[in-house]
């Protein structure tokens, strides 16, 4: 199955020229054979994040967000994502956080969540390129079974 992946960078301060996390999502997913990406850059605003997730879920098999998962007042990605999810996949984020402990004692500072929105997998990743790399590598082998299961008989824009 050829999967299209949406990538959303959530940041008030980054531009497409200085975004390192979005490219790291694409680069690391390419290690697992994914190479069809659609990207967005949005501010740390609930409505903007929700609009980007909803838009990409309509045309992608999975959507990865990066940024906005910490504890600062502007970190609202999990709050934006949660109401959109029809099913939660908390085990994916717990696996990412547990694997992250092998690299840093701060891995549990990410409040990211995961789940299914309109038939697409949605995963919140932290904003650091290193955390993106570690998170995707933690769940990378699980993606194809998840996407195959999700899209059995149903694919965005009839693309399977």
């Amino acid at each position: 199955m050829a999967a299209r992946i949406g990538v959303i960078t959530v940041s008030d301060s980054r531009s497409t020229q200085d975004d390192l996390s979005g490219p790291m999502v694409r680069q690391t997913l390419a290690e697992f054979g994914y190479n069809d990406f659609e990207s967005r850059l949005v501010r740390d605003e609930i409505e903007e994040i929700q609009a980007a997730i909803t838009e990409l879920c309509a045309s992608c098999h999975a959507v990865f967000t990066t940024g906005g998962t910490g504890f600062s007042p502007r970190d609202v990605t999990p709050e934006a994502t949660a109401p959109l999810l029809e099913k939660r996949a908390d085990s994916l984020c717990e696996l990412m956080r547990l694997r992250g402990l092998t690299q840093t004692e701060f891995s549990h500072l990410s409040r990211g969540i995961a789940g299914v929105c309109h038939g697409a997998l949605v995963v919140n990743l932290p904003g650091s390129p290193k955390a993106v790399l570690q998170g995707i590598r933690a769940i990378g082998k699980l993606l194809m079974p998840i996407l195959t299961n999700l899209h059995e008989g149903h694919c965005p824009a009839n693309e399977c």
Side-chain angles (χ1 to χ4, degrees):
M1 170 171 104
R4 178 179 297 134
I5 309 292
V7 179
I8 302 169
T9 299
V10 178
S11 176
D12 285 335
S13 60
R14 293 187 197 147
S15 68
T16 54
Q17 289 77 25
D18 60 6
D19 174 25
L20 300 177
S21 298
M24 182 59 76
V25 172
R26 294 186 295 275
Q27 177 184 328
T28 309
L29 285 170
E31 294 176 9
F32 294 93
Y34 300 98
N35 57 22
D36 185 6
F37 299 102
E38 197 170 331
S39 299
R40 302 286 183 276
L41 176 73
V42 299
R43 292 179 300 152
D44 289 280
E45 297 288 343
I46 288 177
E47 297 80 17
E48 288 187 37
I49 298 166
Q50 287 179 331
I53 291 171
T54 301
E55 176 190 356
L56 290 176
C57 283
S59 62
C60 296
H61 298 88
V63 175
F64 287 82
T65 68
T66 176
T69 64
F71 285 87
S72 82
R74 297 288 296 155
D75 290 332
V76 295
T77 302
E79 289 74 19
T81 304
L84 302 177
L85 300 180
E86 296 130 19
K87 292 182 180 184
R88 292 282 298 253
D90 296 331
S91 58
L92 294 179
C93 290
E94 288 311 311
L95 178 58
M96 290 188 295
R97 286 186 271 268
L98 286 172
R99 291 268 176 89
L101 279 176
T102 64
Q103 304 294 315
T104 177
E105 61 190 22
F106 300 113
S107 70
H108 281 74
L109 292 180
S110 171
R111 301 179 307 108
I113 63 173
V116 178
C117 172
H118 301 299
L121 176 67
V122 178
V123 179
N124 296 157
L125 297 165
S128 127
K130 184 176 179 182
V132 165
L133 173 73
Q134 293 167 354
I136 292 173
R137 284 187 176 165
I139 65 170
K141 290 182 180 179
L142 302 176
L143 294 178
M144 189 51 67
I146 291 169
L147 298 181
T148 300
N149 226 342
L150 278 175
H151 298 291
E152 218 168 69
H154 162 222
C155 289
N158 301 316
E159 298 205 2
C160 286

